């Protein structure tokens, strides 16, 4: 798609006016580095150009471009005959809602977005700027990988970019937008970010392109087969959000940035709450909002019945503040950013509508990654727990359930941010421990009267505790069913309830559900300046 470099227009540069005109002409070229036809083709496909993506993301008039006039300096294979300005990437900085960010946007019309030495140098410069200044980095990816004609230098620069991404990790938020085909050496770079947003229809993300896949393994595949937005949203979990077009993707980035601090030394800016919910607590201790009051009736009477955890979140978080991540992947656990009383939080919530809220390997890994993101950037975590345990089965065990669930245990135990846990119903066994239990590190644990905190449910507890009693009754031809009901009722009253845990101090308070929002707001205020001294070490060894 790249055309030969056009001959520069002749301008008399012997005067100041001429020099200014020469600069204007040079900068004008950056809006269409390979010509207006290429821009028209991009627009015809319903997409934005690389420059337009940056302008749509940032506050109007705030973009300051760097290296706008850069051109590659390669000569091999006729490269010297085409030297488009910008070398295929727009870089710089600006503001989003008044807060500074660094940004780059790759241009797929220039050498198919391939990354050569100068292109990579521009990326290195803007990444280093983000690291030094402590501001988020947003990258819009549209690149088919290393620029082969530039040889091994493109691989060396890719390695520098990977290293820089790793150095940025946990220091400033990194958000990647996959806006076009992104492959080869460029495929790993966006995945090293904290949040990945893919554009439906126009983007793909894969390591080995379809042609090489056909030649090496004989598999006839398309780019979508290898890594479409749908694949990464629902199958691999690589993508955190899918957007219908470029504009929607960039709006999502703005929303995510609004839920994160600028760096690991700051906190999420508080938002004003205008619905009058903060402090609106009645004489009965219940939050005075309709959504909060509705929590008293959200849990079904039958322990086998499901309910939508979104109804619970509606009574806890600020209205319209929940931004779910990975909604199409491992739906048995919800993760996302929200606000409670104006404070930014991360939410991890079991979804009883999917696998009854049981944790499988994918859900455990999803939650672990999100918790570590929150902990990196001082975002307190709110757990909403209703899980019967880890999902049993050979496929799960062989699929790495132990290792991947250990990652969740590790992430929660390692976290130093404030943790507030609300147990709504089931909290059994190891999943109870992993999902923000008191002894693994939660600061405040609240339980509803409907909570069932135990090693197992009442039925399985009876089978384990009263096996001899039931066997003896069967030998004596007694009514085993009636005895089971009696023993189950006893177990529910003595073991499978929130009060046994409250007696031990594992639950700080058993509260009416309608009181939850007020309790969480108070708890987050208490934990706002939480400090933990951790042991000196290079780093822990997460079971990856």
């Amino acid at each position: 798609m790249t055309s030969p470099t056009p001959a520069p227009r002749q301008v008399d540069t012997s005067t100041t006016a001429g020099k200014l005109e020469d600069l204007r002409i040079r900068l004008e070229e950056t809006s269409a580095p390979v010509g207006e036809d290429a821009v028209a083709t991009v627009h015809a496909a319903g997409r934005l150009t690389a420059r337009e993506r940056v302008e749509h993301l940032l506050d109007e008039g705030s973009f300051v471009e760097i290296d706008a006039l850069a051109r590659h300096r390669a000569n091999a294979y006729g490269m010297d005959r085409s030297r488009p300005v910008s070398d295929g990437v727009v870089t710089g900085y600006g503001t989003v809602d008044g807060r500074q960010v660094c940004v780059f946007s790759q241009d797929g019309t220039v050498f198919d977005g391939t990354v050569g030495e100068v292109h990579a140098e521009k990326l290195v410069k803007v990444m280093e700027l983000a690291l030094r200044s402590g501001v988020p980095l947003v990258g819009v990816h549209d690149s088919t990988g290393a620029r082969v004609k530039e040889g091994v230098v493109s691989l060396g620069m890719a390695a520098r970019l990977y290293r820089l991404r790793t150095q940025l990790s946990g220091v400033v938020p990194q958000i990647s937008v996959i806006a076009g085909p992104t492959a080869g050496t460029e495929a790993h770079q966006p995945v090293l970010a904290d949040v990945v947003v893919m554009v439906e229809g126009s983007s793909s993300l894969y390591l080995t392109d379809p042609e090489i896949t056909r030649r090496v393994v004989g598999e006839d595949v398309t780019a979508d087969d290898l890594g479409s937005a749908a694949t990464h949203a629902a199958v691999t979990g690589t993508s955190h959000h899918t957007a219908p077009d470029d504009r929607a993707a960039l709006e999502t980035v703005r929303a995510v940035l609004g839920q994160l601090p600028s760096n690991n030394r700051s906190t999420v800016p508080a938002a004003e709450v205008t619905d009058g919910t903060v402090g609106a607590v009645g004489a009965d201790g219940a939050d005075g909002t309709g959504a909060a009051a509705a929590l008293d009736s959200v849990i079904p009477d039958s322990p086998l019945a499901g309910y939508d955890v979104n109804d619970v979140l509606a009574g806890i978080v600020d209205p319209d503040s929940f931004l779910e991540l990975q909604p199409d992947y491992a739906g048995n656990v919800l993760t996302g950013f929200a606000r409670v009383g104006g404070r930014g939080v991360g939410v991890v919530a079991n979804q009883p509508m999917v696998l009854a809220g049981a944790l499988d390997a994918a859900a455990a890994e999803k939650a672990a990654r999100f918790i570590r993101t929150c902990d990196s950037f001082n975002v307190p975590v709110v757990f909403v727990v209703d899980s019967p345990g880890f999902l049993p089965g050979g496929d799960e065990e062989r699929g790495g359930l132990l290792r991947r669930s250990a990652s969740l245990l590790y992430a929660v135990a390692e976290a130093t941010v404030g943790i507030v846990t609300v147990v709504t119903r089931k909290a059994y066994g190891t999943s109870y421990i992993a999902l923000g239990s008191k002894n693994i590190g939660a600061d405040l644990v609240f339980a509803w009267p409907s909570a069932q905190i135990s090693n197992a449910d009442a039925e399985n507890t009876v089978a384990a505790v009263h096996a001899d009693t039931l066997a003896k009754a069967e030998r004596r031809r007694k009514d085993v069913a009636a005895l089971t009901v009696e023993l189950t009722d006893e177990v529910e009253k003595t073991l499978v309830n929130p009060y046994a845990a409250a007696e031990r101090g594992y639950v700080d308070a058993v509260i009416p559900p309608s009181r939850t929002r007020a309790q969480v707001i108070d708890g987050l205020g208490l934990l706002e300046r939480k400090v933990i001294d951790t042991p000196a070490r290079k780093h822990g060894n997460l079971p990856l």
Side-chain angles (χ1 to χ4, degrees):
M1 203 167 185
T2 304
S3 57
T5 305
R9 282 179 279 179
Q10 297 300 313
V11 175
D12 180 7
T13 57
S14 63
T15 65
T16 299
K19 289 181 172 65
L20 289 172
E21 176 64 10
D22 179 55
L23 173 61
R24 186 192 66 78
I25 293 171
R26 290 173 184 271
L27 293 177
E28 187 179 75
E29 186 184 343
T30 64
S31 64
V34 294
E36 293 296 338
D37 288 347
V39 174
T41 300
V42 171
H43 288 167
R47 305 170 65 197
L48 299 177
T49 66
R51 184 170 300 278
E52 288 167 343
R53 290 167 183 157
V54 172
E55 291 170 348
H56 190 83
L57 170 69
L58 300 178
D59 297 337
E60 186 175 357
S62 72
F63 181 46
V64 179
E65 188 169 1
I66 55 178
D67 292 328
L69 302 177
R71 300 180 191 267
H72 77 76
R73 45 184 173 267
N75 297 315
Y77 304 104
M79 289 285 291
D80 56 324
R81 293 195 294 270
S82 179
R83 300 180 64 236
V85 69
S86 81
D87 200 38
V89 62
V90 178
T91 59
Y93 56 92
T95 61
V96 173
D97 292 330
R99 296 168 61 201
Q100 291 285 348
V101 300
C102 285
V103 62
F104 68 82
S105 180
Q106 292 177 316
D107 187 347
T109 69
V110 178
F111 302 123
D112 293 323
T114 53
V115 179
E117 184 176 21
V118 171
H119 182 131
E121 285 174 347
K122 292 180 66 174
L123 296 180
V124 166
K125 183 184 286 189
V126 76
M127 288 182 188
E128 288 179 337
L129 183 61
L131 187 62
R132 288 196 304 271
S133 57
V135 302
L137 174 72
V138 178
V140 184
H141 296 264
D142 188 353
S143 168
T144 53
R147 194 173 297 167
V148 177
K149 289 184 177 180
E150 293 199 27
V152 72
V153 68
S154 61
L155 295 178
M157 296 305 292
R160 284 190 65 184
L161 292 172
Y162 297 160
R163 182 175 175 84
L164 258 174
R165 282 287 196 181
T166 305
Q167 291 171 340
L168 284 161
S169 182
V171 179
V172 299
Q174 300 179 74
I175 303 176
S176 296
V177 177
I178 313 299
T182 302
T185 55
E186 274 300 288
H188 277 121
Q189 197 200 134
V191 181
L192 290 169
D194 300 298
V195 176
V196 177
V197 180
M198 293 191 71
V199 179
E200 190 174 13
S202 61
S203 71
S204 54
L205 180 64
Y206 50 85
L207 194 56
T208 307
D209 71 38
E211 181 58 35
I212 294 177
T213 300
R214 278 192 290 270
R215 289 203 305 264
V216 175
V217 299
E219 188 177 351
D220 191 14
V221 291
T222 65
D224 278 351
D225 293 332
L226 293 174
S228 66
T231 295
H232 286 305
V235 181
T236 71
T238 301
S239 172
H240 295 82
H241 187 86
T242 303
D245 54 38
D246 288 349
R247 289 178 176 82
L250 297 166
E251 289 301 319
T252 297
V253 173
R254 291 179 66 94
V256 172
L257 287 170
Q259 298 277 26
L260 288 168
S262 294
N263 54 58
N264 63 349
R265 298 182 301 278
S266 57
T267 57
V268 183
E272 183 180 356
V273 180
T274 59
D275 66 344
T277 59
V278 178
V281 179
D284 60 352
D287 192 309
T289 67
L295 295 182
D296 282 341
S297 57
V298 76
I299 300 295
D301 291 334
S302 170
L304 300 179
Y307 62 93
D308 191 343
V309 75
N310 284 293
D311 294 336
V312 176
L313 297 181
I316 298 176
V317 305
D318 296 351
D320 302 319
S321 72
F322 183 49
L323 176 62
E324 186 175 359
L325 301 181
Q326 296 178 289
D328 300 317
Y329 181 73
N332 40 334
V333 65
L334 271 59
T335 57
F337 298 112
R339 290 184 180 272
V340 181
R343 292 187 178 90
V345 300
V347 174
V348 178
N350 298 114
Q351 175 55 285
M353 301 295 288
V354 181
L355 297 177
L359 291 173
D360 58 2
E365 197 168 63
K366 170 182 173 179
R369 168 70 170 170
F370 178 71
I371 291 163
R372 284 173 67 84
T373 298
C374 291
D375 193 48
S376 294
F377 298 113
N378 309 311
V379 180
V381 178
V382 175
F383 284 94
V384 179
V385 181
D386 184 354
S387 175
F390 285 98
L391 190 67
D395 288 345
E396 277 297 308
E397 296 285 358
R398 289 187 293 271
L401 177 62
L402 267 176
R403 174 179 52 79
R404 295 162 81 181
S405 59
S407 296
L408 174 58
L409 289 164
Y410 190 106
V412 179
E414 181 189 48
T416 59
V417 292
I419 296 177
V420 179
T421 301
V422 180
V423 182
T424 62
R425 193 167 61 173
K426 299 171 185 175
Y428 298 150
T430 311
S431 67
Y432 152 70
I433 297 172
L435 293 167
S437 64
K438 192 74 172 179
N439 286 346
I440 204 170
D443 299 288
L444 295 169
V445 178
F446 303 112
W448 291 0
S450 52
Q452 303 164 14
I453 303 173
S454 182
N455 281 285
D457 61 18
E459 181 180 343
N460 284 305
T461 300
V462 167
V465 174
H466 295 294
D468 291 342
T469 301
L470 293 171
K472 186 183 294 184
E474 187 173 9
R475 289 195 301 271
R476 294 179 178 179
R477 300 183 183 278
K478 291 186 176 181
D479 188 344
V480 176
L483 178 59
T484 300
V485 170
E486 179 184 337
L487 293 174
T488 299
D489 184 59
E490 176 196 344
V491 165
E492 287 178 345
K493 290 178 180 178
T494 58
L495 292 178
V496 187
N497 59 58
Y499 303 107
E503 288 176 8
R504 290 279 184 177
Y506 298 164
V507 167
D508 293 300
V510 181
I511 61 173
S514 54
R515 175 67 184 168
T516 305
R517 175 173 163 82
Q519 290 284 120
V520 173
I521 289 174
D522 286 345
L524 291 171
L526 174 68
L527 298 170
E528 200 162 36
R529 289 174 176 80
K530 175 183 173 182
V531 175
I532 287 184
D533 292 325
T534 56
R537 59 179 176 178
K538 187 174 182 180
H539 58 71
N541 191 12
L542 178 71
L544 297 171

